[in-house]
Amino acid sequence: MSTNDPPAARLTSEKTLFGTLPNGSKVDKYTFRNGRQMEVSIIPYGGIIQSILVPDRNGQVADVVLGFDTLEDYIQPHPYFGAIIGRYGNRIAQGRFTLNGKQYQIPINDGPNALHGGPEGFEKKLWQTTPIEDSDSVGVELSYLSPDGEMGFPGNLTATVRYTVHPENELRIQYSAVTDQETIVNLTNHTYFNLAGAGSGTVLDSVALINADRFTPINQLLIPTGELLEVKGTPLDFTTPTAIGTRIRVDYPQLKYAEEKEGGYDFNWILNHPGDLQALATRVTDPSSGRTIEMYTTEPGVQFYSGNFLNGTLKGKQGLTYAHWGGFCFEAQHYPDSVNHPHFPPTELAPGEKYSQTTIFKFA
Ligand code: BGC
C-alpha cells in the first residue's frame, strides 16, 4: 500500500427510532456510512431515502436530497420525496389498461390519469426490513407484498428493494418483483437531488448530461404521444453537458406542457444503452461545490424532472423551504404509460418471471 492510497473504508450501520405511525407501528431510520464521508439514511415507510450526505471538493459535507426530519411530515401529502414508486412509475392514461382481454382501472390521482401507481402507492407502505452486511457493502433489504387488486392491479406482487452503500461513494438500488398472476410493474425511486445542498436554492446552475439521443414527447396531460423524437435541436438535448437552467424557459411547447407558466423538464429520455449497467446514463455537476452525481441503470428510460411543482411553500429538513426548481429527479424506469403503447419496452410480468432492475447513484 502506498501512502497515497485512501484509508480502507469502514462500513458501518446504525438503527434509530424515526417515528410511530398512527396505527402504532414503529418506523426505524437506518443509517449507513462508508468511512469516506458518505452517509445514507433510509426509512422503511415508503422505502424512503431520507438523507444522503456527501463531501464537496473541499471535504465539506452536505445533505443533497430533499425531505423531512420527521415521520409526521412524510405521512402528510408531499411530492414523493425519496420514495419507492410502485406498482407503476409515472402515468397511466386515464388509469386504464387491458391485459389478456381484461380491462383494469387504477384510481386516478393526477387530473384524468393515474400517477405513480395511484393514490395509495408504494410510497405510503411500511416495508419489511432485513439488514445487509458483506465485505464491500452495507445496507438494508426492504420487501412488501402488494395484495391482488391493490390499487386495481392484478396479482399478489412481492417486491424487494435492496439499498446498499459501497466504499466508492456509491448507493446501489436493486429491485425485484414476482407475481402469481399476469400483471404490470414499473418501479423506480423518486429522490430529489440538489448537489449544492437541499434547500440551498434552485438547481438551474447544475450542469447535466443525459446519455440519450431521443425522448418520448408528451401531450398536455403529460401522456406520451407514442412518438420517439430526436433531442437534437431541442432544449432536451443534454448529450453534451448543459446547465439545467440554460434553456428551461425557452419557447418550446413541450417545456410548457411540463410546467405551464415558466417551463420545466418532466420527460422520459430514451437511454442510449438500455440494460447496460456499465454505461453512464446521466451525470450532474454542481459548479459551486464541485459535487457530482452519476447514474447507471439497467432500465431503458429515465424521467428527468426538474422539480417544477415545488413552489417554496413546503418546509423540509432543518426548516428550509424548497424553491421552484429546487431539486432534480432522475427516475430510472420504463417509459410512462408503456402498458398502452405496444411498441414501448414491455412492463408486463407473468407468474414464473422475475422483474429486476439495478440503478446506481455514484457521487464524486
Ligand atoms: C412526474 C411529475 C410529477 C412528479 C410528482 C414525476 O415523476 O414526472 O410529473 O409531478 O413526479 O412529484
Side-chain angles (χ1 to χ4, degrees), residues 328-345:
F328 61 85
C329 305
F330 279 122
E331 301 152 68
Q333 59 190 19
H334 277 54
Y335 313 166
D337 200 31
S338 286
V339 64
N340 293 310
H341 298 273
H343 61 298
F344 287 180

Side-chain angles (χ1 to χ4, degrees), residues 133-151:
E133 229 167 284
D134 52 43
S135 60
D136 81 327
S137 71
V138 65
V140 63
E141 177 174 302
L142 305 178
S143 60
Y144 174 65
L145 167 65
S146 174
D148 180 24
E150 184 173 55
M151 288 290 102

Side-chain angles (χ1 to χ4, degrees), residues 78-81 85 89-91 110 115-116 188 190 192 222 258 265-267 303-305 308-310 329 331 333 336:
H78 69 89
Y80 303 91
F81 284 151
I85 302 296
N90 214 277
R91 294 174 176 80
D110 180 72
L115 176 65
H116 296 330
T188 191
H190 207 296
Y192 292 67
L222 311 194
Y265 292 102
D266 192 358
F267 304 95
Q303 187 83 14
F304 164 39
Y305 170 58
N308 310 325
F309 301 122
L310 298 173
C329 305
E331 301 152 68
Q333 59 190 19

Side-chain angles (χ1 to χ4, degrees), residues 53-323:
L53 271 58
V54 280
D56 70 3
R57 62 162 77 82
N58 301 316
Q60 202 68 36
V61 168
D63 189 348
V64 295
V65 304
L66 279 57
F68 302 112
D69 285 323
T70 70
L71 183 63
E72 289 68 43
D73 286 327
Y74 281 109
I75 296 168
Q76 304 302 319
H78 69 89
Y80 303 91
F81 284 151
I84 296 171
I85 302 296
R87 296 186 185 190
Y88 208 88
N90 214 277
R91 294 174 176 80
I92 297 178
Q94 297 177 24
R96 246 183 247 152
F97 64 96
T98 305
L99 208 54
N100 293 329
K102 199 168 159 203
Q103 258 220 5
Y104 294 93
Q105 177 71 56
I106 311 306
I108 58 172
N109 58 336
D110 180 72
N113 303 315
L115 176 65
H116 296 330
E120 292 283 328
F122 285 5
E123 81 287 352
K124 295 194 176 72
K125 305 300 176 189
L126 182 57
W127 295 61
Q128 302 293 313
T129 59
T130 313
I132 302 172
E133 229 167 284
D134 52 43
S135 60
D136 81 327
S137 71
V138 65
V140 63
E141 177 174 302
L142 305 178
S143 60
Y144 174 65
L145 167 65
S146 174
D148 180 24
E150 184 173 55
M151 288 290 102
F153 292 100
N156 291 294
L157 185 84
T158 305
T160 304
V161 178
R162 287 168 64 92
Y163 285 114
T164 49
V165 172
H166 298 253
E168 314 76 40
N169 282 4
E170 220 179 84
L171 171 66
R172 225 168 232 262
I173 315 177
Q174 288 167 286
Y175 307 77
S176 64
V178 290
T179 181
D180 62 358
Q181 256 183 72
E182 174 131 16
T183 191
I184 58 170
V185 59
N186 190 19
L187 306 181
T188 191
N189 175 279
H190 207 296
T191 294
Y192 292 67
F193 298 95
N194 184 327
L195 297 175
S200 68
T202 76
V203 294
L204 297 185
D205 291 338
S206 287
V207 176
L209 173 120
I210 307 179
N211 196 354
D213 294 334
R214 294 178 301 164
F215 74 108
T216 50
I218 49 175
N219 66 21
Q220 280 98 325
L221 296 170
L222 311 194
I223 296 294
T225 61
E227 298 155 277
L228 314 178
L229 273 193
E230 297 283 327
V231 293
K232 212 174 157 98
T234 79
L236 277 74
D237 187 354
F238 284 95
T239 53
T240 53
T242 309
I244 292 173
T246 306
R247 300 163 304 189
I248 202 165
R249 295 187 176 90
V250 307
D251 192 12
Y252 181 70
Q254 289 280 308
L255 289 178
K256 297 285 191 274
Y257 295 163
E259 208 274 348
E260 248 179 288
K261 284 183 237 93
E262 293 192 274
Y265 292 102
D266 192 358
F267 304 95
N268 167 64
W269 271 255
I270 300 173
L271 291 170
N272 286 339
H273 302 283
D276 183 357
L277 199 56
Q278 309 304 318
L280 179 72
T282 68
R283 178 194 292 128
V284 180
T285 301
D286 165 48
S288 66
S289 63
R291 289 191 193 92
T292 294
I293 183 173
E294 292 184 341
M295 189 180 84
Y296 299 82
T297 185
T298 54
E299 285 300 285
V302 62
Q303 187 83 14
F304 164 39
Y305 170 58
S306 55
N308 310 325
F309 301 122
L310 298 173
N311 60 9
T313 55
L314 252 178
K315 203 174 263 172
K317 286 178 264 188
Q318 302 168 320
L320 297 172
T321 53
Y322 297 134

